[in-house]
Amino acid sequence: MVSASIRRFFARNRVTISILLFLTLIVENLLFETKPRHGWFYDGSWQGYCGLLLVLLGVCVRSWAAGILRKGADLTTVGPYSLCRNPLYLGSFSVMFGFCMLIGHGFDFLVVCGPIAAIYIATVLNEEQRLDAKYSSRWREYAQRTPRFIPSRIFAFTPGDWSLEQWLKSREYQALISTVLGSIVLEAWRLR
């Protein structure tokens, strides 16, 4: 089992580590003069469209979750949180997997998705420990009925109030802008 100090390290540094992994991926592709294999704009392939769909789906899931989550105020169990306990991470992983699909090099999946999955799992375990300590029986009941990542009980959906103010407060617009810019840059890189 991963120690608590290592989980905390990954939880605190997950964004920095993710950025470093993606920069490594870009440098590797530039050094070996490889271009993304699949596009979505000009002469797009089904892999390009699937990759873009995963990116868009991930951004939508993240935006939905960020507009509902009231971090630190209460245990959020509505909206996407009624379907899975970690919709923000599910959305992020969908975005990353979609970008890797657009790039289309098998090694890139290993470089990005493998370490990111490990970081997310460590982060989630750290967060779950904190939530268990804070909300005890409410958390355990919620965790018992709600899957960690992959929604499996769609009929258990409970609507929640999405708030633009909350979405802005969580700075989710940064993820949206980064994703749009990343998609455009990848397509321009492919077409050059």
Side-chain angles (χ1 to χ4, degrees):
M1 192 57 148
V2 178
S3 76
S5 61
I6 292 172
R7 288 195 318 253
R8 281 192 300 275
F9 171 81
F10 283 130
R12 281 192 308 269
N13 298 293
R14 68 186 177 275
V15 173
T16 303
I17 294 169
S18 299
I19 290 169
L20 288 174
L21 284 170
F22 270 102
L23 288 174
T24 301
L25 180 70
I26 291 167
V27 168
E28 177 256 333
N29 282 295
L30 288 173
L31 286 175
F32 293 104
E33 297 182 8
T34 56
K35 294 202 276 187
R37 290 186 177 166
H38 308 295
W40 52 267
F41 177 68
Y42 177 74
D43 195 29
S45 63
W46 70 269
Q47 295 97 329
Y49 292 127
C50 285
L52 183 64
L53 180 65
L54 285 170
V55 168
L56 294 174
L57 181 64
V59 167
C60 289
V61 168
R62 281 192 56 84
S63 287
W64 183 26
I68 287 183
L69 179 63
R70 307 304 189 263
K71 228 179 215 181
D74 196 13
L75 180 63
T76 305
T77 61
V78 296
Y81 293 92
S82 67
L83 300 174
C84 75
R85 297 191 310 252
N86 298 284
L88 284 166
Y89 295 127
L90 179 64
S92 293
F93 202 76
S94 178
V95 168
M96 285 182 260
F97 195 83
F99 275 130
C100 286
M101 195 169 189
L102 286 168
I103 292 169
H105 302 286
F107 181 72
D108 296 342
F109 280 96
L110 295 175
V111 169
V112 174
C113 293
I116 296 290
I119 290 168
Y120 281 6
I121 288 168
T123 301
V124 164
L125 293 173
N126 187 57
E127 288 178 2
E128 286 181 351
Q129 186 177 31
R130 186 181 49 79
L131 290 168
D132 184 47
K134 185 171 182 176
Y135 297 109
S136 59
S137 62
R138 280 184 59 212
W139 164 255
R140 286 184 215 115
E141 180 186 318
Y142 169 67
Q144 183 82 25
R145 73 174 186 268
T146 311
R148 188 174 272 146
F149 290 110
I150 308 299
S152 60
R153 298 175 41 201
I154 304 301
F155 298 111
F157 175 71
T158 305
D161 293 327
W162 188 87
S163 161
L164 177 61
E165 180 182 343
Q166 183 62 36
W167 184 81
L168 292 169
K169 182 179 175 185
S170 69
R171 298 188 309 249
E172 189 60 27
Y173 55 86
Q174 293 174 342
L176 177 63
I177 292 167
S178 299
T179 302
V180 169
L181 288 175
S183 298
I184 292 168
V185 166
L186 273 180
E187 190 65 8
W189 182 9
R190 187 185 73 83
L191 293 173
R192 71 173 171 94

